[in-house]
Amino acid sequence: MNILLWHVHGSWTTAFVQGPHTYLVPVLPDRGPDGRGRARTFSWPASVRELTPDELREAEVDLVVLQRPHEPELAERWLGGRRPGRDVPAVYLEHNAPDGNVPDTRHPFADRDDLTLVHVTHFNRLFWDNGGTRTEVVEHGIVDPGHRYTGRLPRAAVVVNEPVRRGRYTGTDLLPALAEAAPLDVFGMRTEGLADRLGLPEERCRSADLPQSELHGAMAERRLYLHPVRWTSLGLSLLEAMHLGMPVVALATTEAVEAVPPGAGVLSTRPEVLAEAARRYLADPDAAYEDGARARQEALARYGLKRFLNDWERVITEVRS
């Protein structure tokens, strides 16, 4: 089939386009948010094709995967008047946990009878008010980066984009106390100058923005993966860390309590417990390796690519029937 979707989340899309279809991604001259085209820092197969709005007008499209509230109007305009959900089968993929008046947050596509609302975690479906819209959950899948863990550096890896702007959502305010327990390497977009913003010595909180091809290797050299996130959807970086064979130290919030089973790391709503777990892994590399190996096995079983693609094939078949 020909599936139209916008390049919104690179990591998620990288897994999705490993399926058996042709994936049409809009492209604009400026490669802005509505026309990024093919990814430049992720490896995508040749089945992902860039199409301009003019080319989409004449393109055969079997399914539209919507991911942002303005995309139905955009798709209708670029598809020459064909309406997602009416003239072309459609799903709305919700990547995020609800924001605002939780738990009364009403989804912008609640009470729709023309599409299926797909959540990436059971937590998200539970906390969004979906109204009468048909909902599904397709949990994340990861392209396996391999068991690359060495843990040779006695530091904690943290992966977060825009930690200053997102603040308490991503637990940025918790980093100074956690940095006392383990020196941090924070990877992600707009992490430059994070140590200064937090009043930390550079050695206790280094930061860098690496392409995925370098990020996995850098993560795997750190002793543990630290996930201080209070309120976001389940971060793919957490699942990637588990696939790499890293032990996880994470706040027991949102879907993390489902994703990280006993024996794969430490979960708690108490930052001091996370700090103590980080100290223990720094002092006991063997324990870190053993817990990381269990984390990898659990991640492969629950968040493997085959399961993810099979779940999506089921949803696609049902939507188009």
Side-chain angles (χ1 to χ4, degrees), residues 22 61 115 140 160 198 214 225 228 284 297:
T22 298
V61 176
L115 52 77
H140 287 302
V160 60
L198 297 177
E214 299 176 25
Y225 182 77
D284 192 345
Q297 292 307 310

Side-chain angles (χ1 to χ4, degrees), residues 41-92:
T41 58
F42 296 87
S43 179
W44 286 3
S47 56
V48 182
R49 295 175 49 206
E50 294 183 344
L51 270 72
T52 66
D54 287 343
E55 291 171 328
L56 282 169
R57 183 177 295 273
E58 305 298 328
E60 180 180 343
V61 176
D62 300 299
L63 176 73
V64 181
V65 177
L66 305 164
Q67 301 172 77
R68 296 169 297 173
H70 72 280
E71 287 183 359
E73 183 277 330
L74 192 60
E76 181 178 349
R77 181 153 43 91
W78 288 3
L79 291 174
R82 287 173 287 174
R83 296 166 299 171
R86 299 298 183 187
D87 305 309
V88 184
V91 301
Y92 188 93

Side-chain angles (χ1 to χ4, degrees), residues 129-257:
D129 175 4
N130 304 298
T133 305
R134 176 176 179 257
T135 62
E136 292 278 353
V137 175
V138 178
E139 295 187 309
H140 287 302
I142 299 292
V143 178
D144 182 16
H147 192 175
R148 302 169 64 179
Y149 179 70
T150 67
R152 68 178 187 86
L153 298 178
R155 303 181 66 88
V158 181
V159 179
V160 60
N161 290 324
E162 301 186 76
V164 174
R165 180 183 67 82
R166 296 167 72 192
R168 288 179 57 83
Y169 280 80
T170 54
T172 305
D173 59 301
L174 303 176
L175 294 181
L178 292 168
E180 294 181 7
L184 309 178
D185 288 323
V186 182
F187 302 102
M189 295 187 296
R190 298 182 179 90
T191 55
E192 303 86 355
L194 181 60
D196 286 342
R197 295 294 295 267
L198 297 177
L200 292 171
E202 182 70 23
E203 177 59 23
R204 303 304 294 185
C205 184
R206 302 187 305 208
S207 58
D209 183 6
L210 302 178
Q212 191 184 49
S213 58
E214 299 176 25
L215 176 61
H216 289 157
M219 291 169 62
E221 289 185 320
R222 274 65 187 174
R223 185 69 49 81
L224 65 133
Y225 182 77
L226 177 63
H227 192 68
V229 176
R230 278 193 182 90
W231 189 263
T232 69
S233 192
L234 182 61
L236 285 172
S237 57
L238 170 66
L239 303 181
E240 290 169 349
M242 294 174 68
H243 273 76
L244 290 166
M246 301 183 72
V248 172
V249 174
L251 280 180
T253 56
T254 64
E255 191 77 0
V257 295

